[in-house]
Amino acid sequence: MTPAQLLDEVKARFYSLLHKEPNALNVLLKQALGAYQDRAGVTDVVKIKTLNKNDDGDPCFPVPSDFLARVTVKDKHGKFVISNYNRREKSVVLNNARCVMPLSLMYFVDLSSVNIESYELPNEIVGLIKDYLEILITIPNAERNRRVAIAGNLDVSDIPAEADLFSRKADIEIRMSAARCALPLLSI
C-alpha cells in the first residue's frame, strides 16, 4: 500500500470530513509518516554487487533514495564491514578492502520524504500509521465540526473533546514506540 492509498482509506473512515484540503491532508500524512519514522523506525536491506571509487580512491557505493541512516554493512558471509556514510557524496565508504561481494546494506528508511504515490509501505506498519493519521485529521476536523454546530445552535456533545483527542494521539505514539524495529546484534 502506498501512502496515497493509505490516506484515501483513512479519509473514508470519516462520516463528515470538513478538513479535506489536499495540501493540508498531505502535510498530515507526512507528519504521520515522520512520527512513525522517529518513534519506531523502518529498516530495509539492499544488496550491493559493485563498488565505485571515490576521489580518495576508497571503495564506496551510493545509498538508496530512501536512505536515512546506516545500520550495518555485511559481506557475503555475514561478516561486519567497517564503513562510514559520506553525506556530501551520498555514499557509503568502506574502511577495509577485505570483504567478499555482494555486500548487504541495512539502513533506516526516510519515510517522511518518500514518494507518496509510488513508495510501498511495509504491511506491518500500515495499521499504526492509519490510526495515527486518523487522529491527526480528527483533531482539526472536530474543531471545524464544533464551530459549524455552534453557529447552527446544534448539540456539540457528540463531538470529541480536544483533550480526549490528544490523549488518544499520545496513546498511539506509545504504541508506535513499542513497535520499534529490532536492530541486528553484531560481534566484532
Side-chain angles (χ1 to χ4, degrees):
M1 171 177 292
T2 67
Q5 292 169 328
L6 184 141
L7 176 59
D8 289 339
E9 284 191 18
V10 171
K11 288 190 310 189
R13 293 180 179 184
F14 289 88
Y15 174 72
S16 170
L17 183 60
L18 298 179
H19 187 77
K20 59 183 176 184
E21 296 82 20
N23 288 341
L25 291 175
N26 284 336
V27 166
L28 293 177
L29 174 62
K30 291 286 188 175
Q31 186 178 344
L33 292 170
Y36 192 90
Q37 169 187 306
D38 293 344
R39 286 177 175 76
V42 176
T43 59
D44 200 359
V45 177
V46 293
K47 292 284 187 194
I48 309 299
K49 296 181 180 176
T50 60
L51 296 175
N52 303 326
K53 296 278 187 187
N54 64 8
D55 294 338
D56 297 330
D58 297 322
C60 65
F61 57 88
V63 296
S65 62
D66 59 351
F67 179 87
L68 177 67
R70 173 182 47 92
V71 175
T72 185
V73 178
K74 294 182 179 180
D75 73 1
K76 179 180 180 178
H77 301 297
K79 293 182 180 175
F80 178 73
V81 177
I82 299 172
S83 61
N84 293 315
Y85 174 61
N86 185 327
R87 187 174 34 198
R88 190 184 73 236
E89 295 177 7
K90 294 188 184 213
S91 65
V92 173
V93 180
L94 305 182
N95 294 346
N96 59 352
R98 286 186 265 182
C99 56
V100 180
M101 299 299 285
L103 302 176
S104 295
L105 167 68
M106 177 182 260
Y107 65 98
F108 282 110
V109 175
D110 185 3
L111 283 178
S112 60
S113 67
V114 297
N115 183 324
I116 65 171
E117 298 295 333
S118 63
Y119 183 80
E120 286 291 325
L121 294 168
N123 291 334
E124 62 271 11
I125 73 171
V126 168
L128 269 176
I129 294 176
K130 277 184 185 179
D131 292 345
Y132 195 73
L133 180 57
E134 179 181 4
I135 199 69
L136 289 180
I137 295 171
T138 300
I139 293 169
N141 197 60
E143 177 59 32
R144 287 185 180 188
N145 280 331
R146 188 175 294 104
R147 280 189 271 144
V148 168
I150 290 171
N153 291 325
L154 301 173
D155 181 29
V156 295
S157 63
D158 63 336
I159 299 173
E162 191 173 287
D164 294 337
L165 295 174
F166 280 102
S167 174
R168 285 178 42 203
K169 179 181 175 219
D171 290 343
I172 296 171
E173 289 171 348
I174 290 169
R175 285 176 40 210
M176 282 182 182
S177 295
R180 186 171 289 131
C181 64
L183 298 179
L185 297 174
L186 295 175
S187 62
I188 299 175

